[in-house]
Amino acid sequence: MADDANTNEGAKAVEGAPPPRPVRGPQPLPPSAQPQDHYDAIKAKFAEARDLRLGYRPQGTAQFTSELTGELSRYAVNPHTEVAPPREPIRDHVECLFIGGGFSALLTAARLRERGVESIRIVERGSDVGGTWYWNRYPGAACDVPAADYLPLLDEMGYLPARFYAPGPEIFAHCQAIARRYDLYDLAVFHTTITSTIWDDQAQVWRLGTDRGDELTARFVICANGTLSKPKLSKIAGMETFAGHAFHSSRWDFGYTGDDLSNLSDKVVGIIGTGASAVQIIPRLAKAAKHLYVFQRTPSAIDIRNDRPTDPEWAARQQPGWQQARRDKHLRGRPLTEEQKAELAALTREEKIRRQENGNIDNMMRIHRRIDEIVQDPATAEALKPWYMYMCKRPCFDDEYLPAYNRPNVTLVDTHGEGITEITAQGPVFEGQTYPLDLLIYATGFEVQKTGIYNRIVGQGGVDLNQRYDEVGIRTLLGVHSHGFPNLFIMGGYQASFQFNLTFMLQTQGDHIAECIKLAREKGAATIDVKADTEEWWVQEVISHRGKTSRNADCTPGYYNFEGEFNRRQDGNYNGGFQQYFTHMSAVRSDLEAHFDFR
Ligand code: NDP
């Protein structure tokens, strides 16, 4: 078997296996299979579906709220723990403080430990580490990236995932194991939200306030608050009047549903949203609920999952350092043959774009055909078809989602792009019909990549980070450093590269941050701050790649393209590619003096 048996590529020989993931770097572009008219007609349909949705929600990102206070405060309650235990406010100093205890913090802290840093504190809202995997415990929660790639530090932890895809509880347990292995529980503070992070120029420390009255100081602060961590709700008229039980997908109330969902056998349940979270939840709800209504605004693209146990032969072959070697290989990408290179060179830019688009459309039509094969009711099958380019929305991989619609107790309420706009005490309303529910689940997503979420960050000269970003746009180096905010590092924020495997990205940033901190320590410098001209160079680099993504204004609205408000020149991810991001990061680190002020 190929060395890469634990990738989807290795699974190609298996009948029904998913197609390979997108590969980095230049791709062979086979000629289009159909006449151009065919593709043009589908593109026109994509544009129509996008325009329809944009017409329904001109308010863009403002259609959502993540301010879950007042009448909406029930959606912010942590169902995973008892009320926070009382404690005295903490007043002390640490060298490195992490805001948030998910993978960003764990991976960077592990690298800091390897470099001899002892004083490390995680401050976390939840009652444990794990971030996404602490909060998202809904039935079916799992990661769509192969576990051997997604689960980080597998070499260091001496761990091999049990299956091709890791379920949520395994990932959460892995987070806890990392925290134990690197002694990160010792100074950790849970049930605590950082509310202010203010630079003290005289003492050259960050002063942090919390919702528990703490007065913390730290030399280095790492914003590790996650890319999708604050639940958001669609603002729907009357939503606060709903009299049944309700929660957000990331705040699953097992007290209500029962651990095995058995309490739902006599309940009518509704779910708003059909994104990646809902796609995993719906098959489980379908089996458990008396009746399930799925309120759909835009369908997801559902591909084959084909989960399977880890191949023991492959596992036995892995030598120490295997995961790093695998990542290095991914980073290099699959090289083109000489023939493929020559073919590509002969194509004009327009021809390359056309072939790329046509290949994407072929893939979407394959996904459409699969729906027709699986879903029995033709009208439901039609409504489940996504009309947009692949990668305009996060692709999903699930083998139980589509069959769920063949059950007699499941009804798809397709809102034809409009969405639910009204909820009464009984339940959601669409086209004049009220759907009375016992339980309503909002699978409506999260606030996206916001630095300093829950937290006001004030740097040198009293400059408020988010106010500055609002006024002049996001300004960073590599998405990590911001001028005038010394010793502050941002993880998972904008202006960094997009990576389908988020932990790969976070590990890359974590390695970089740990190295910067190590070098500042070795120099005996109190502070490290990116130079203004280096920051400006990166902002321009981000702008120069702005249009180069499939997640652009042509796409149907969603959080990938700011709900269609794609006009914020530098306020997004770096689209130059992960390889190039990584190369820039290495170059910056090889000449820190040129890019940073050390004082
Ligand atoms: P998303 O933001 O992706 O999805 C929100 C859903 O709610 C969309 O389907 C949206 O429709 C819908 N919606 C919003 N308002 C309304 C309304 N008024 N009426 C009807 N529908 C509405 O959130 P998710 O939590 O699903 O996923 C967030 C991200 O988390 C994913 O993109 C992925 O990165 C990650 N994730 C990864 C998983 C994995 O590895 N498998 C699993 C789960 C999440 P519309 O599309 O029209 O906006």
Side-chain angles (χ1 to χ4, degrees), residues 85-103:
R87 65 166 174 80
E88 289 300 310
I90 302 168
R91 290 188 180 83
D92 67 8
H93 177 81
V94 293
E95 185 172 8
C96 296
L97 186 143
F98 287 89
I99 303 176
F103 269 134

mmCIF file with all atom_site columns, all heavy atoms in Angstrom, residues 85-103:
data_model
loop_
_atom_site.group_PDB
_atom_site.id
_atom_site.type_symbol
_atom_site.label_atom_id
_atom_site.label_alt_id
_atom_site.label_comp_id
_atom_site.label_asym_id
_atom_site.label_entity_id
_atom_site.label_seq_id
_atom_site.pdbx_PDB_ins_code
_atom_site.Cartn_x
_atom_site.Cartn_y
_atom_site.Cartn_z
_atom_site.occupancy
_atom_site.B_iso_or_equiv
_atom_site.pdbx_formal_charge
_atom_site.auth_seq_id
_atom_site.auth_comp_id
_atom_site.auth_asym_id
_atom_site.auth_atom_id
_atom_site.pdbx_PDB_model_num
ATOM 1   N N   . PRO A 1 85  ? -16.980 27.965 40.343 1.00 0.00 ? 85  PRO A N   1
ATOM 2   C CA  . PRO A 1 85  ? -16.740 27.969 41.787 1.00 0.00 ? 85  PRO A CA  1
ATOM 3   C C   . PRO A 1 85  ? -16.203 29.321 42.242 1.00 0.00 ? 85  PRO A C   1
ATOM 4   O O   . PRO A 1 85  ? -15.422 29.945 41.514 1.00 0.00 ? 85  PRO A O   1
ATOM 5   C CB  . PRO A 1 85  ? -15.681 26.873 41.981 1.00 0.00 ? 85  PRO A CB  1
ATOM 6   C CG  . PRO A 1 85  ? -15.130 26.581 40.626 1.00 0.00 ? 85  PRO A CG  1
ATOM 7   C CD  . PRO A 1 85  ? -16.116 27.039 39.613 1.00 0.00 ? 85  PRO A CD  1
ATOM 8   N N   . PRO A 1 86  ? -16.615 29.776 43.438 1.00 0.00 ? 86  PRO A N   1
ATOM 9   C CA  . PRO A 1 86  ? -16.114 31.081 43.881 1.00 0.00 ? 86  PRO A CA  1
ATOM 10  C C   . PRO A 1 86  ? -14.606 31.023 44.147 1.00 0.00 ? 86  PRO A C   1
ATOM 11  O O   . PRO A 1 86  ? -14.087 29.972 44.511 1.00 0.00 ? 86  PRO A O   1
ATOM 12  C CB  . PRO A 1 86  ? -16.887 31.327 45.196 1.00 0.00 ? 86  PRO A CB  1
ATOM 13  C CG  . PRO A 1 86  ? -17.463 30.017 45.588 1.00 0.00 ? 86  PRO A CG  1
ATOM 14  C CD  . PRO A 1 86  ? -17.515 29.138 44.391 1.00 0.00 ? 86  PRO A CD  1
ATOM 15  N N   . ARG A 1 87  ? -13.934 32.124 43.904 1.00 0.00 ? 87  ARG A N   1
ATOM 16  C CA  . ARG A 1 87  ? -12.503 32.209 44.233 1.00 0.00 ? 87  ARG A CA  1
ATOM 17  C C   . ARG A 1 87  ? -12.128 33.667 44.463 1.00 0.00 ? 87  ARG A C   1
ATOM 18  O O   . ARG A 1 87  ? -12.836 34.579 44.013 1.00 0.00 ? 87  ARG A O   1
ATOM 19  C CB  . ARG A 1 87  ? -11.642 31.585 43.132 1.00 0.00 ? 87  ARG A CB  1
ATOM 20  C CG  . ARG A 1 87  ? -11.698 32.314 41.799 1.00 0.00 ? 87  ARG A CG  1
ATOM 21  C CD  . ARG A 1 87  ? -10.565 31.852 40.887 1.00 0.00 ? 87  ARG A CD  1
ATOM 22  N NE  . ARG A 1 87  ? -10.652 32.407 39.530 1.00 0.00 ? 87  ARG A NE  1
ATOM 23  C CZ  . ARG A 1 87  ? -10.261 33.631 39.189 1.00 0.00 ? 87  ARG A CZ  1
ATOM 24  N NH1 . ARG A 1 87  ? -9.796  34.487 40.105 1.00 0.00 ? 87  ARG A NH1 1
ATOM 25  N NH2 . ARG A 1 87  ? -10.373 34.042 37.938 1.00 0.00 ? 87  ARG A NH2 1
ATOM 26  N N   . GLU A 1 88  ? -11.024 33.870 45.134 1.00 0.00 ? 88  GLU A N   1
ATOM 27  C CA  . GLU A 1 88  ? -10.517 35.221 45.364 1.00 0.00 ? 88  GLU A CA  1
ATOM 28  C C   . GLU A 1 88  ? -9.895  35.739 44.067 1.00 0.00 ? 88  GLU A C   1
ATOM 29  O O   . GLU A 1 88  ? -9.346  34.954 43.291 1.00 0.00 ? 88  GLU A O   1
ATOM 30  C CB  . GLU A 1 88  ? -9.419  35.196 46.445 1.00 0.00 ? 88  GLU A CB  1
ATOM 31  C CG  . GLU A 1 88  ? -9.928  34.916 47.839 1.00 0.00 ? 88  GLU A CG  1
ATOM 32  C CD  . GLU A 1 88  ? -10.937 35.955 48.300 1.00 0.00 ? 88  GLU A CD  1
ATOM 33  O OE1 . GLU A 1 88  ? -10.622 37.166 48.185 1.00 0.00 ? 88  GLU A OE1 1
ATOM 34  O OE2 . GLU A 1 88  ? -12.043 35.570 48.734 1.00 0.00 ? 88  GLU A OE2 1
ATOM 35  N N   . PRO A 1 89  ? -9.963  37.056 43.821 1.00 0.00 ? 89  PRO A N   1
ATOM 36  C CA  . PRO A 1 89  ? -9.281  37.596 42.638 1.00 0.00 ? 89  PRO A CA  1
ATOM 37  C C   . PRO A 1 89  ? -7.781  37.306 42.698 1.00 0.00 ? 89  PRO A C   1
ATOM 38  O O   . PRO A 1 89  ? -7.185  37.290 43.775 1.00 0.00 ? 89  PRO A O   1
ATOM 39  C CB  . PRO A 1 89  ? -9.540  39.104 42.732 1.00 0.00 ? 89  PRO A CB  1
ATOM 40  C CG  . PRO A 1 89  ? -10.730 39.247 43.604 1.00 0.00 ? 89  PRO A CG  1
ATOM 41  C CD  . PRO A 1 89  ? -10.700 38.090 44.563 1.00 0.00 ? 89  PRO A CD  1
ATOM 42  N N   . ILE A 1 90  ? -7.205  37.062 41.534 1.00 0.00 ? 90  ILE A N   1
ATOM 43  C CA  . ILE A 1 90  ? -5.762  36.774 41.450 1.00 0.00 ? 90  ILE A CA  1
ATOM 44  C C   . ILE A 1 90  ? -5.030  38.072 41.113 1.00 0.00 ? 90  ILE A C   1
ATOM 45  O O   . ILE A 1 90  ? -5.461  38.823 40.241 1.00 0.00 ? 90  ILE A O   1
ATOM 46  C CB  . ILE A 1 90  ? -5.494  35.730 40.343 1.00 0.00 ? 90  ILE A CB  1
ATOM 47  C CG1 . ILE A 1 90  ? -6.281  34.456 40.627 1.00 0.00 ? 90  ILE A CG1 1
ATOM 48  C CG2 . ILE A 1 90  ? -4.004  35.440 40.207 1.00 0.00 ? 90  ILE A CG2 1
ATOM 49  C CD1 . ILE A 1 90  ? -6.295  33.479 39.443 1.00 0.00 ? 90  ILE A CD1 1
ATOM 50  N N   . ARG A 1 91  ? -3.914  38.296 41.810 1.00 0.00 ? 91  ARG A N   1
ATOM 51  C CA  . ARG A 1 91  ? -3.068  39.453 41.486 1.00 0.00 ? 91  ARG A CA  1
ATOM 52  C C   . ARG A 1 91  ? -1.636  38.946 41.382 1.00 0.00 ? 91  ARG A C   1
ATOM 53  O O   . ARG A 1 91  ? -0.973  38.770 42.402 1.00 0.00 ? 91  ARG A O   1
ATOM 54  C CB  . ARG A 1 91  ? -3.143  40.513 42.600 1.00 0.00 ? 91  ARG A CB  1
ATOM 55  C CG  . ARG A 1 91  ? -4.476  41.207 42.642 1.00 0.00 ? 91  ARG A CG  1
ATOM 56  C CD  . ARG A 1 91  ? -4.552  42.384 43.589 1.00 0.00 ? 91  ARG A CD  1
ATOM 57  N NE  . ARG A 1 91  ? -5.888  42.939 43.515 1.00 0.00 ? 91  ARG A NE  1
ATOM 58  C CZ  . ARG A 1 91  ? -6.940  42.471 44.176 1.00 0.00 ? 91  ARG A CZ  1
ATOM 59  N NH1 . ARG A 1 91  ? -6.795  41.442 45.000 1.00 0.00 ? 91  ARG A NH1 1
ATOM 60  N NH2 . ARG A 1 91  ? -8.131  43.013 44.028 1.00 0.00 ? 91  ARG A NH2 1
ATOM 61  N N   . ASP A 1 92  ? -1.203  38.627 40.192 1.00 0.00 ? 92  ASP A N   1
ATOM 62  C CA  . ASP A 1 92  ? 0.187   38.183 40.057 1.00 0.00 ? 92  ASP A CA  1
ATOM 63  C C   . ASP A 1 92  ? 0.694   38.394 38.636 1.00 0.00 ? 92  ASP A C   1
ATOM 64  O O   . ASP A 1 92  ? -0.020  38.930 37.773 1.00 0.00 ? 92  ASP A O   1
ATOM 65  C CB  . ASP A 1 92  ? 0.360   36.734 40.534 1.00 0.00 ? 92  ASP A CB  1
ATOM 66  C CG  . ASP A 1 92  ? -0.361  35.722 39.652 1.00 0.00 ? 92  ASP A CG  1
ATOM 67  O OD1 . ASP A 1 92  ? -0.879  36.111 38.590 1.00 0.00 ? 92  ASP A OD1 1
ATOM 68  O OD2 . ASP A 1 92  ? -0.396  34.533 40.022 1.00 0.00 ? 92  ASP A OD2 1
ATOM 69  N N   . HIS A 1 93  ? 1.930   37.963 38.412 1.00 0.00 ? 93  HIS A N   1
ATOM 70  C CA  . HIS A 1 93  ? 2.603   38.198 37.128 1.00 0.00 ? 93  HIS A CA  1
ATOM 71  C C   . HIS A 1 93  ? 3.063   36.863 36.544 1.00 0.00 ? 93  HIS A C   1
ATOM 72  O O   . HIS A 1 93  ? 3.545   35.999 37.274 1.00 0.00 ? 93  HIS A O   1
ATOM 73  C CB  . HIS A 1 93  ? 3.829   39.094 37.357 1.00 0.00 ? 93  HIS A CB  1
ATOM 74  C CG  . HIS A 1 93  ? 4.632   39.335 36.115 1.00 0.00 ? 93  HIS A CG  1
ATOM 75  N ND1 . HIS A 1 93  ? 4.286   40.268 35.169 1.00 0.00 ? 93  HIS A ND1 1
ATOM 76  C CD2 . HIS A 1 93  ? 5.759   38.733 35.639 1.00 0.00 ? 93  HIS A CD2 1
ATOM 77  C CE1 . HIS A 1 93  ? 5.165   40.245 34.174 1.00 0.00 ? 93  HIS A CE1 1
ATOM 78  N NE2 . HIS A 1 93  ? 6.073   39.322 34.446 1.00 0.00 ? 93  HIS A NE2 1
ATOM 79  N N   . VAL A 1 94  ? 2.903   36.704 35.232 1.00 0.00 ? 94  VAL A N   1
ATOM 80  C CA  . VAL A 1 94  ? 3.485   35.546 34.543 1.00 0.00 ? 94  VAL A CA  1
ATOM 81  C C   . VAL A 1 94  ? 4.273   36.057 33.336 1.00 0.00 ? 94  VAL A C   1
ATOM 82  O O   . VAL A 1 94  ? 4.084   37.202 32.904 1.00 0.00 ? 94  VAL A O   1
ATOM 83  C CB  . VAL A 1 94  ? 2.401   34.543 34.056 1.00 0.00 ? 94  VAL A CB  1
ATOM 84  C CG1 . VAL A 1 94  ? 1.697   33.870 35.225 1.00 0.00 ? 94  VAL A CG1 1
ATOM 85  C CG2 . VAL A 1 94  ? 1.402   35.208 33.109 1.00 0.00 ? 94  VAL A CG2 1
ATOM 86  N N   . GLU A 1 95  ? 5.100   35.192 32.795 1.00 0.00 ? 95  GLU A N   1
ATOM 87  C CA  . GLU A 1 95  ? 5.864   35.635 31.626 1.00 0.00 ? 95  GLU A CA  1
ATOM 88  C C   . GLU A 1 95  ? 4.989   35.589 30.365 1.00 0.00 ? 95  GLU A C   1
ATOM 89  O O   . GLU A 1 95  ? 4.941   36.546 29.597 1.00 0.00 ? 95  GLU A O   1
ATOM 90  C CB  . GLU A 1 95  ? 7.113   34.755 31.433 1.00 0.00 ? 95  GLU A CB  1
ATOM 91  C CG  . GLU A 1 95  ? 7.974   35.296 30.298 1.00 0.00 ? 95  GLU A CG  1
ATOM 92  C CD  . GLU A 1 95  ? 9.311   34.606 30.150 1.00 0.00 ? 95  GLU A CD  1
ATOM 93  O OE1 . GLU A 1 95  ? 9.534   33.596 30.833 1.00 0.00 ? 95  GLU A OE1 1
ATOM 94  O OE2 . GLU A 1 95  ? 10.117  35.095 29.332 1.00 0.00 ? 95  GLU A OE2 1
ATOM 95  N N   . CYS A 1 96  ? 4.283   34.474 30.160 1.00 0.00 ? 96  CYS A N   1
ATOM 96  C CA  . CYS A 1 96  ? 3.461   34.328 28.946 1.00 0.00 ? 96  CYS A CA  1
ATOM 97  C C   . CYS A 1 96  ? 2.017   34.027 29.331 1.00 0.00 ? 96  CYS A C   1
ATOM 98  O O   . CYS A 1 96  ? 1.765   33.057 30.059 1.00 0.00 ? 96  CYS A O   1
ATOM 99  C CB  . CYS A 1 96  ? 3.974   33.178 28.092 1.00 0.00 ? 96  CYS A CB  1
ATOM 100 S SG  . CYS A 1 96  ? 5.626   33.454 27.456 1.00 0.00 ? 96  CYS A SG  1
ATOM 101 N N   . LEU A 1 97  ? 1.113   34.829 28.823 1.00 0.00 ? 97  LEU A N   1
ATOM 102 C CA  . LEU A 1 97  ? -0.297  34.614 29.146 1.00 0.00 ? 97  LEU A CA  1
ATOM 103 C C   . LEU A 1 97  ? -1.091  34.389 27.859 1.00 0.00 ? 97  LEU A C   1
ATOM 104 O O   . LEU A 1 97  ? -0.977  35.171 26.909 1.00 0.00 ? 97  LEU A O   1
ATOM 105 C CB  . LEU A 1 97  ? -0.857  35.809 29.914 1.00 0.00 ? 97  LEU A CB  1
ATOM 106 C CG  . LEU A 1 97  ? -2.288  35.622 30.439 1.00 0.00 ? 97  LEU A CG  1
ATOM 107 C CD1 . LEU A 1 97  ? -2.447  36.275 31.811 1.00 0.00 ? 97  LEU A CD1 1
ATOM 108 C CD2 . LEU A 1 97  ? -3.326  36.180 29.465 1.00 0.00 ? 97  LEU A CD2 1
ATOM 109 N N   . PHE A 1 98  ? -1.866  33.329 27.835 1.00 0.00 ? 98  PHE A N   1
ATOM 110 C CA  . PHE A 1 98  ? -2.712  33.012 26.686 1.00 0.00 ? 98  PHE A CA  1
ATOM 111 C C   . PHE A 1 98  ? -4.152  33.392 26.986 1.00 0.00 ? 98  PHE A C   1
ATOM 112 O O   . PHE A 1 98  ? -4.701  32.978 28.016 1.00 0.00 ? 98  PHE A O   1
ATOM 113 C CB  . PHE A 1 98  ? -2.659  31.508 26.387 1.00 0.00 ? 98  PHE A CB  1
ATOM 114 C CG  . PHE A 1 98  ? -1.360  31.090 25.783 1.00 0.00 ? 98  PHE A CG  1
ATOM 115 C CD1 . PHE A 1 98  ? -0.297  30.709 26.593 1.00 0.00 ? 98  PHE A CD1 1
ATOM 116 C CD2 . PHE A 1 98  ? -1.183  31.095 24.413 1.00 0.00 ? 98  PHE A CD2 1
ATOM 117 C CE1 . PHE A 1 98  ? 0.907   30.332 26.032 1.00 0.00 ? 98  PHE A CE1 1
ATOM 118 C CE2 . PHE A 1 98  ? 0.026   30.716 23.839 1.00 0.00 ? 98  PHE A CE2 1
ATOM 119 C CZ  . PHE A 1 98  ? 1.076   30.340 24.658 1.00 0.00 ? 98  PHE A CZ  1
ATOM 120 N N   . ILE A 1 99  ? -4.744  34.133 26.079 1.00 0.00 ? 99  ILE A N   1
ATOM 121 C CA  . ILE A 1 99  ? -6.173  34.435 26.201 1.00 0.00 ? 99  ILE A CA  1
ATOM 122 C C   . ILE A 1 99  ? -6.903  33.359 25.424 1.00 0.00 ? 99  ILE A C   1
ATOM 123 O O   . ILE A 1 99  ? -6.938  33.379 24.195 1.00 0.00 ? 99  ILE A O   1
ATOM 124 C CB  . ILE A 1 99  ? -6.485  35.839 25.650 1.00 0.00 ? 99  ILE A CB  1
ATOM 125 C CG1 . ILE A 1 99  ? -5.645  36.886 26.380 1.00 0.00 ? 99  ILE A CG1 1
ATOM 126 C CG2 . ILE A 1 99  ? -7.973  36.134 25.771 1.00 0.00 ? 99  ILE A CG2 1
ATOM 127 C CD1 . ILE A 1 99  ? -5.788  38.297 25.850 1.00 0.00 ? 99  ILE A CD1 1
ATOM 128 N N   . GLY A 1 100 ? -7.438  32.393 26.116 1.00 0.00 ? 100 GLY A N   1
ATOM 129 C CA  . GLY A 1 100 ? -8.089  31.252 25.468 1.00 0.00 ? 100 GLY A CA  1
ATOM 130 C C   . GLY A 1 100 ? -7.244  29.993 25.630 1.00 0.00 ? 100 GLY A C   1
ATOM 131 O O   . GLY A 1 100 ? -6.006  30.073 25.687 1.00 0.00 ? 100 GLY A O   1
ATOM 132 N N   . GLY A 1 101 ? -7.916  28.852 25.710 1.00 0.00 ? 101 GLY A N   1
ATOM 133 C CA  . GLY A 1 101 ? -7.211  27.597 25.990 1.00 0.00 ? 101 GLY A CA  1
ATOM 134 C C   . GLY A 1 101 ? -7.454  26.510 24.960 1.00 0.00 ? 101 GLY A C   1
ATOM 135 O O   . GLY A 1 101 ? -7.446  25.330 25.294 1.00 0.00 ? 101 GLY A O   1
ATOM 136 N N   . GLY A 1 102 ? -7.670  26.915 23.705 1.00 0.00 ? 102 GLY A N   1
ATOM 137 C CA  . GLY A 1 102 ? -7.872  25.925 22.638 1.00 0.00 ? 102 GLY A CA  1
ATOM 138 C C   . GLY A 1 102 ? -6.539  25.530 22.008 1.00 0.00 ? 102 GLY A C   1
ATOM 139 O O   . GLY A 1 102 ? -5.471  25.728 22.604 1.00 0.00 ? 102 GLY A O   1
ATOM 140 N N   . PHE A 1 103 ? -6.626  25.004 20.789 1.00 0.00 ? 103 PHE A N   1
ATOM 141 C CA  . PHE A 1 103 ? -5.415  24.515 20.130 1.00 0.00 ? 103 PHE A CA  1
ATOM 142 C C   . PHE A 1 103 ? -4.358  25.615 19.972 1.00 0.00 ? 103 PHE A C   1
ATOM 143 O O   . PHE A 1 103 ? -3.162  25.333 20.085 1.00 0.00 ? 103 PHE A O   1
ATOM 144 C CB  . PHE A 1 103 ? -5.749  23.910 18.763 1.00 0.00 ? 103 PHE A CB  1
ATOM 145 C CG  . PHE A 1 103 ? -6.042  22.433 18.828 1.00 0.00 ? 103 PHE A CG  1
ATOM 146 C CD1 . PHE A 1 103 ? -7.136  21.889 18.166 1.00 0.00 ? 103 PHE A CD1 1
ATOM 147 C CD2 . PHE A 1 103 ? -5.216  21.578 19.534 1.00 0.00 ? 103 PHE A CD2 1
ATOM 148 C CE1 . PHE A 1 103 ? -7.392  20.525 18.212 1.00 0.00 ? 103 PHE A CE1 1
ATOM 149 C CE2 . PHE A 1 103 ? -5.461  20.207 19.591 1.00 0.00 ? 103 PHE A CE2 1
ATOM 150 C CZ  . PHE A 1 103 ? -6.555  19.683 18.932 1.00 0.00 ? 103 PHE A CZ  1
#
